[in-house]
Amino acid sequence: MAVPEPVAPPPVDTTAPRRRRARLSENRWGYAYVAPFFLVFGAFSLFPFVFTLWISLHETRLSDIGGGTFVGLDNYAALLGNAYFWNALRNTVTIGVLATVPQLCLALGLAHLLHYKLRGRTFFRVVMLMPYATSIAAATLVFATLFGRDYGLINTGLEAVGLDRIDWESGSLTSQVAIAVIVTWRWTGYNALIYLAAMQSIPDELYEAAEMDGASRWRQFLHVTIPSLRPTILFTVVVSTIGAVQLFGEPLLFAGNGSTTGGARNQYQTLGLLMYQQGWSNFNIGQAATTAWAMFLIILLVVGLAALAGRLRARRTGGTP
């Protein structure tokens, strides 16, 4: 019977650990440069994010934020049964639609105009950005005066054309339209500059080919500009929707008294106002944290739907999402 020869063990690669140590040594300055950002992010973003989740699972008052009673998902069940939450969600969606749709349409039109060689283009671009640089408080107070019932310029104009005065603040739809106008005024120029930057990356050959085919400026806009801007339009829709969910300053200051109720009948109370009222007026910080997480989940849902829409479109056209 033949005795099998012993098999030598495979050689140990001792160079791999040395390469990893050398690579870590080479990258230590890179880690040192990015470390402050992650430390600040962890302290002021990640920790409050996780702590808010922990608070939302407790029955906690503002005066005893660290000594609440664990209630699990009871706060979320209570929020879903809260009529004020659904009213605030409905108001937020309505104001968001009233503000986002005209805002992005106007921004697209303005960007298209500025894309052509106009005299004083730089001046117009700066002017468009000025509303964005204006503080929310100043803009809201000016528009609240314009929408005033007795002495507002809007009602004066309506009377001049034979229409009745409108009590903008007391009506549900009228107050939401007025707040949407403020949001639209502040953000249209900002979105127009985003569209303009995207338009400048569209190859001129596409417009030249369309012009040779006899396409008018309007048809070039519809069949060249809009398809090329789809990813940018999707991005601005998502960002505007996130801003609408977080809407706070404009409805807070619209009545001029800083009330978090959003009008006498909560007719323009948004989710942001409701969260503030729960935490800092009613001192129920656990319920406020629950509302904050509900807002985050809504934003997550919107972003997920936008990503899904982009992926489906890319699959249909054979491009990248």
Side-chain angles (χ1 to χ4, degrees), residues 25-311:
S25 178
E26 291 172 358
N27 295 335
R28 64 183 186 280
W29 287 112
Y31 292 122
Y33 281 129
V34 300
F37 166 77
F38 285 101
L39 289 175
V40 173
F41 174 79
F44 296 103
S45 296
L46 186 59
F47 172 72
F49 185 76
V50 177
F51 187 65
T52 304
L53 177 62
W54 184 85
I55 289 290
S56 71
L57 302 176
H58 291 72
E59 181 65 37
T60 309
R61 309 296 296 178
L62 185 60
S63 57
D64 187 24
I65 196 168
T69 306
F70 182 78
V71 294
L73 298 177
D74 286 358
N75 281 336
Y76 290 90
L79 187 69
L80 294 177
N82 189 341
Y84 290 100
F85 168 73
W86 293 108
N87 175 68
L89 178 61
R90 189 165 51 249
N91 294 342
T92 302
V93 171
T94 306
I95 295 174
V97 172
L98 290 174
T100 301
V101 175
Q103 173 192 143
L104 297 184
C105 291
L106 286 172
L108 203 55
L110 288 173
H112 183 67
L113 290 176
L114 288 178
H115 188 49
Y116 291 106
K117 293 180 180 178
L118 297 176
R119 182 173 295 178
R121 280 190 304 176
T122 304
F123 170 76
F124 289 119
R125 292 176 186 179
V126 173
V127 168
M128 282 201 310
L129 201 57
M130 286 181 68
Y132 174 69
T134 307
S135 75
I136 296 176
T140 305
L141 292 176
V142 168
F143 274 92
T145 305
L146 293 176
F147 283 104
R149 184 190 61 184
D150 298 323
Y151 305 105
L153 192 60
I154 306 294
N155 275 344
T156 303
L158 291 176
E159 276 194 329
V161 296
L163 299 176
D164 294 331
R165 287 178 173 270
I166 297 175
D167 191 352
W168 294 93
E169 199 268 334
S170 64
S172 295
L173 182 60
T174 55
S175 59
Q176 292 169 13
V177 167
I179 292 171
V181 168
I182 304 172
V183 178
T184 301
W185 181 80
R186 288 197 69 240
W187 289 95
T188 296
Y190 176 82
N191 286 307
L193 292 184
I194 292 178
Y195 288 145
L196 181 61
M199 284 179 186
Q200 290 174 342
S201 66
I202 301 174
D204 292 336
E205 291 79 8
L206 294 178
Y207 290 105
E208 292 170 2
E211 197 169 350
M212 290 177 66
D213 289 340
S216 63
R217 291 286 176 90
W218 174 246
R219 287 195 172 277
Q220 291 178 29
F221 177 71
L222 288 181
H223 300 291
V224 177
T225 305
I226 295 292
S228 303
L229 290 183
R230 276 177 185 159
T232 307
I233 293 173
L234 191 61
F235 167 76
T236 54
V237 168
V238 171
V239 171
S240 299
T241 306
I242 292 173
V245 173
Q246 298 174 338
L247 193 62
F248 179 77
E250 289 87 350
L252 177 72
L253 299 172
F254 180 62
N257 55 10
S259 171
T260 58
T261 59
R265 296 178 290 104
N266 309 106
Q267 63 268 26
Y268 55 89
Q269 186 182 48
T270 59
L271 287 174
L273 283 184
L274 177 65
M275 180 189 68
Y276 190 89
Q277 184 187 35
Q278 290 170 331
W280 283 265
S281 297
N282 302 337
F283 308 115
N284 191 343
I285 200 69
Q287 196 65 63
T290 307
T291 305
W293 260 86
M295 294 167 63
F296 171 71
L297 293 176
I298 291 171
I299 291 173
L300 210 59
L301 177 65
V302 171
V303 173
L305 291 175
L308 180 63
R311 188 172 293 276

